[in-house]
Amino acid sequence: KQEVTQIPAALSVPEGENLVLNCSFTDSAIYNLQWFRQDPGKGLTSLLLIQSSQREQTSGRLNASLDKSSGRSTLYIAASQPGDSATYLCAVRPLLAGTASKLTFGTGTRLQVTL
Amino acid sequence: DTEVTQTPKHLVMGMTNKKSLKCEQHMGHRAMYWYKQKAKKPPELMFVYSYEKLSINESVPSRFSPECPNSSLLNLHLHALQPEDSALYLCASSQALTGRELAANYGYTFGSGTRLTVV
């Protein structure tokens, strides 16, 4: 059974810091890994998608890496801003037969960026 | 259109009420999902529809009844809920693909959720 863990569970940093969020998964048989952002009481916003064959993806101040063999992904946020405050979730899509499959979510990292 | 739209945004219902949650997407996705999320927890899968057919039911109680009337719509019918069913209900959609190269390219799109309170 796939298990996905995120460290740290919570993080508070001053504005302007570069930070790294970690995601670990136990089963490397995945199609891809997706990073989401969730504001309190809101839905999930997709940030980055990394295919199993890729090593990293970048979007603006965000960079996500994937090391499938070791079961790890990191989300790097450069020059953090108060608007980055949210919960960040990673999710893996399993390599299973069929046209639809269930995402397995990590436990989440709650980020607060202070002025 | 790259959105998943959920209605209503908020719903308060009594334990004897019948209500429905609605989800709509026009991205041509043929896989649609219902997730339940409790506070400070990750989303938990409830149901998966693929090509309008139920393909996964995660042992959800029968007081939750999903329906996929067409490729763009997904409903969740609620009846005789309990207070512990209060949660954020999220709808998602994705391409329904087979094959490693194709499926790896596509992720999931989530709606903004329905905040359900059972009183």
Side-chain angles (χ1 to χ4, degrees), chain B residues 7-8 10-22 34-36 46-47 60-67 75-82 85-87 89 114-118:
Chain B
T7 55
H10 302 276
L11 178 63
V12 180
M13 61 184 291
M15 290 188 286
T16 59
N17 291 159
K18 287 185 180 180
K19 296 287 184 182
S20 296
L21 309 185
K22 180 180 175 180
W34 280 115
Y35 281 82
K36 173 182 177 179
M46 300 175 71
F47 303 103
V60 179
S62 60
R63 58 186 183 269
F64 295 91
S65 176
E67 177 195 22
N75 298 319
L76 186 62
H77 303 297
L78 313 172
H79 173 56
L81 295 192
Q82 303 297 311
D85 296 322
S86 298
Y89 288 83
T114 294
R115 170 67 63 190
L116 174 67
T117 303
V118 182

Side-chain angles (χ1 to χ4, degrees), chain A residues 30-32 34 36 38 41-44 46 49 51-52 68 89 93 95 98-103 105-107 110, chain B residues 31 33 35 37 42-43 45 48 50 58 88 90 95-100 103-108 110-112 115:
Chain A
I30 63 171
Y31 276 129
N32 55 44
Q34 200 167 355
F36 295 93
Q38 186 173 32
K42 304 294 185 183
L44 277 63
S46 181
L49 173 77
Q51 299 174 33
S52 60
K68 193 171 67 127
L89 293 157
R93 181 172 181 173
L95 196 68
T99 57
S101 53
K102 57 185 288 186
L103 283 180
F105 282 91
T107 45
R110 292 190 302 280
Chain B
Y33 311 78
Y35 281 82
Q37 187 179 27
L45 183 68
V48 180
S50 178
E58 291 286 281
L88 181 68
L90 295 164
Q95 297 280 2
L97 297 168
T98 56
R100 183 188 299 259
N105 292 340
Y106 298 96
Y108 291 65
F110 280 79
S112 58
R115 170 67 63 190

Side-chain angles (χ1 to χ4, degrees), chain A residues 6-72:
Chain A
Q6 291 185 245
I7 295 174
L11 183 63
S12 182
V13 299
E15 183 180 13
E17 277 204 7
N18 302 323
L19 50 97
V20 175
L21 308 183
N22 297 292
C23 172
S24 300
F25 49 95
T26 55
D27 187 344
S28 61
I30 63 171
Y31 276 129
N32 55 44
L33 184 146
Q34 200 167 355
W35 281 94
F36 295 93
R37 168 190 172 135
Q38 186 173 32
D39 293 296
K42 304 294 185 183
L44 277 63
T45 300
S46 181
L47 299 173
L48 288 165
L49 173 77
I50 311 178
Q51 299 174 33
S52 60
S53 60
Q54 295 178 323
R55 297 287 291 182
E56 66 178 69
Q57 280 286 343
T58 298
S59 175
R61 295 184 293 109
L62 304 179
N63 175 277
S65 66
L66 176 65
D67 184 344
K68 193 171 67 127
S69 60
S70 66
R72 293 180 183 177

